[in-house]
Amino acid sequence: MVMDARSGQVIHAENADTRLHPASLTKMMTLYIAFEAVEHGELSMDTVVTVSRNAANEPPSKLGLKAGQKIKLRYLVRAAAVKSANDAATAIGEAISGSEAAFARRMNRTAKNLGMTRSTFKNAHGLTEEGHLSTAHDMTILGRHLIYDYSEYYGLFSRNATDAGVKTVYSHNKILQTYKGADGIKTGYTRAAGFNLVASAERGRERIIATVFGGASTPARNARVAELLDLGFRNNKNNVALNKPDKPAYEGKVDNPEVVVAKTADPSPDGLRGKTIRVVAAAVTRSLRPQHRPGSETPNVAPLVAEVKDDITSVLEEVQVADAAAAVAEAVAAEAAPVVATLADGAAPESSIKPVRRPQAVLLASAGGAEATAEALASAETQAPQPQEVVERVSTSGGRHWGINVGRYSSSYAAEKILLQTALMEVSTLDGSLRKVVNRKGGYDANFMGLTRETADLACRRLQARQVTCFMIGPS
């Protein structure tokens, strides 16, 4: 297969859809998923991976890892990309998905999303296994996605040597040295597969990808690939506009194909780009319903909205509930009675938060509006001689006084929208937090409140790994 990388146009193909053994071209998919996992905060290049016995026992080519050895992901990636190390590839797959079998299932989902319609993967390294097959066409598609989807990592494939942590490793791809403009991508060899190569070369603004399966030897394969690259440069069109391939939707690491897809408008009213967020249906493992107050009657869970026109002293806070993520706001009149300080906002962070006895008379804001609320207050004054306490908000934070801010926006709608998108994106750390929009002088702050310091720090680091602006908010 010969393809103009700029446009994706096929220049030449011969038996390009024949399913054959890909050998170590498989590691292109392993590395693609590794880059995706790092991009979305599943792990980082500095994550320390413990090498399993399964990974350590892989046959050559290998880095020489030992069972139980600890090594950073970045060194495994380098060893897989440059030396084509089988033990490093298996360790990468197990670090991301927990097992090589689960990682293979993710490889197949990713291949389908990339349009690789005739590829099936059984392992992370490419050693011959029944049913582990691909085509020259599919591998060319994958090579193009590596070039444009993760251009920041593509330089790995042009290295002749690199530091893999435990030692320096050297590339098998000699075409990097013999063909003008060649800068990648991956070689492969097994006895069943023969000599395979996906090569890319750039000259000026032109880039060609050429793929060969089943070469008789390394020199014969390299010579054929050079011929195909020359054919591509001769026959491609000049002044072709760059049309990068569409990056597939991120489905995460969960090995469950049933997902809920939430789409935002594109473009949005405030100019943000639309985004498709795929949330695994099984991701939430516990109920988000608030717990009943001990010793009380079963509460009415219908949302209450208080509207008091001239004497509002509290800002409405949004409370997320499980089934609809509905916003429930509460506000009370300041002149009615002393206000019980909000536990989540007023308690000192170093003090132990103890349950407070329910006052004998508690007035809840009614959904009937200002007049109904005023009438209830007047009635209470005549009927209840004892002092009254007005509950501004019952904290459900469980002593969590920290929060995070994910940006300031020009409208309340924009801030609420970002909060929802972020909550769907980062379910594991923001589960059960309070989404809160605060009107500031310069705009509307989008905040998540009710977090522990550790959870807030983890959420920010994971969001920043996804290029989302985030900073922590300490106890007020």
Side-chain angles (χ1 to χ4, degrees):
M1 169 71 75
V2 182
M3 178 181 287
D4 186 332
R6 298 167 299 175
S7 63
Q9 180 182 1
V10 175
I11 298 172
H12 172 78
E14 182 179 348
N15 299 325
D17 290 316
T18 302
R19 283 163 55 85
L20 298 168
H21 299 289
S24 285
L25 302 187
T26 300
K27 295 184 180 75
M28 293 165 60
M29 177 61 78
T30 299
L31 292 165
Y32 185 94
I33 294 175
F35 302 151
E36 177 187 61
V38 170
E39 178 187 35
H40 291 279
E42 295 179 44
L43 70 179
S44 76
M45 285 294 180
D46 290 318
T47 295
V48 177
V49 176
T50 301
V51 179
S52 71
R53 185 176 302 277
N54 178 50
N57 288 340
E58 297 290 9
S61 175
K62 60 193 299 181
L63 184 57
L65 301 172
K66 305 297 182 184
Q69 181 177 348
K70 297 183 183 297
I71 185 171
K72 287 185 178 181
L73 179 68
R74 68 174 66 253
Y75 297 128
L76 297 175
V77 167
R78 291 177 186 178
V82 176
K83 182 177 174 56
S84 196
N86 295 324
D87 51 357
T90 299
I92 291 170
E94 292 176 342
I96 294 172
S97 295
S99 71
E100 193 169 17
F103 187 71
R105 290 191 288 272
R106 179 163 176 173
M107 294 170 79
N108 289 321
R109 292 198 305 271
T110 304
K112 182 178 179 180
N113 292 339
L114 290 171
M116 299 170 63
T117 59
R118 295 183 60 77
S119 294
T120 53
F121 296 98
K122 301 289 187 177
N123 57 58
H125 42 67
L127 292 173
T128 303
E129 186 172 341
E130 184 178 357
H132 187 94
L133 301 167
S134 187
T135 70
H137 189 177
D138 281 359
M139 281 298 169
T140 305
I141 291 173
L142 177 57
R144 185 167 183 251
H145 275 278
L146 276 171
I147 292 168
Y148 293 116
D149 291 358
Y150 295 105
S151 57
E152 65 270 36
Y153 296 113
Y154 180 68
L156 282 170
F157 299 101
S158 65
R159 296 184 183 181
N160 290 306
T162 191
D163 174 17
V166 295
K167 62 182 177 181
T168 299
V169 294
Y170 298 91
S171 175
H172 296 160
N173 192 0
K174 303 307 178 185
I175 204 166
L176 294 172
Q177 304 167 24
T178 59
Y179 191 86
K180 179 183 178 182
D183 55 11
I185 302 177
K186 190 74 189 70
T187 62
Y189 169 77
T190 63
R191 184 175 300 175
F195 294 84
N196 300 348
L197 175 60
V198 179
S200 176
E202 184 176 38
R203 294 179 180 177
R205 297 183 178 180
E206 300 177 8
R207 178 178 286 279
I208 300 296
I209 304 173
T211 301
V212 165
F213 272 57
S217 66
T218 297
R221 174 198 65 191
N222 291 351
R224 180 58 178 156
V225 167
E227 292 175 3
L228 292 175
L229 289 171
D230 287 341
L231 182 152
F233 282 115
R234 285 196 309 269
N235 292 280
N236 70 322
K237 297 178 181 179
N238 295 326
N239 302 320
V240 173
L242 176 60
N243 182 22
K244 295 181 181 180
D246 293 331
K247 202 170 186 178
Y250 171 65
E251 292 188 357
K253 63 186 293 185
V254 179
D255 195 29
N256 184 347
E258 295 184 1
V259 296
V260 177
V261 180
K263 291 187 177 180
T264 66
D266 188 13
S268 62
D270 49 1
L272 297 174
R273 286 184 59 84
K275 189 179 291 184
T276 299
I277 305 170
R278 302 177 71 88
V279 182
V280 178
V284 178
T285 58
R286 63 186 180 87
S287 170
L288 302 182
R289 292 186 181 277
Q291 299 297 314
H292 295 173
R293 181 193 296 271
S296 69
E297 298 293 331
T298 301
N300 179 11
V301 298
L304 299 177
V305 181
E307 300 176 2
V308 182
K309 293 184 178 179
D310 298 322
D311 52 356
I312 294 178
T313 60
S314 302
V315 178
L316 300 178
E317 290 198 335
E318 294 187 38
V319 179
Q320 180 179 356
V321 291
D323 43 5
V328 179
E330 299 178 8
V332 295
E335 298 179 3
V339 178
V340 177
T342 301
L343 294 179
D345 298 328
E350 68 275 4
S351 65
S352 173
I353 297 179
K354 298 181 179 179
V356 179
R357 181 184 297 276
R358 179 193 291 272
Q360 295 182 3
V362 177
L363 294 181
L364 293 180
S366 169
E371 294 180 2
T373 303
E375 182 179 345
L377 288 172
S379 175
E381 287 179 356
T382 60
Q383 296 178 14
Q386 67 273 26
Q388 298 177 352
E389 294 183 76
V390 180
V391 178
E392 177 183 312
R393 177 169 65 85
V394 179
S395 172
T396 59
S397 67
R400 298 176 294 179
H401 306 283
W402 288 77
I404 64 172
N405 174 280
V406 292
R408 180 170 294 178
Y409 301 89
S410 59
S411 67
S412 175
Y413 167 80
E416 291 170 357
K417 181 177 177 181
I418 290 299
L419 285 173
L420 179 57
Q421 291 178 357
T422 307
L424 293 172
M425 180 191 307
E426 187 52 45
V427 174
S428 60
T429 54
L430 298 180
D431 177 14
S433 63
L434 307 179
R435 300 201 310 275
K436 181 176 179 181
V437 176
V438 181
N439 187 359
R440 304 289 188 192
K441 184 176 180 181
Y444 294 82
D445 281 0
N447 298 337
F448 288 92
M449 305 303 297
L451 301 170
T452 64
R453 177 173 185 151
E454 293 77 12
T455 304
D457 178 62
L458 176 61
C460 257
R461 287 189 285 109
R462 289 171 63 90
L463 290 171
Q464 287 167 354
R466 296 186 174 98
Q467 309 303 314
V468 175
T469 300
C470 180
F471 63 85
M472 293 171 59
I473 303 172
S476 58

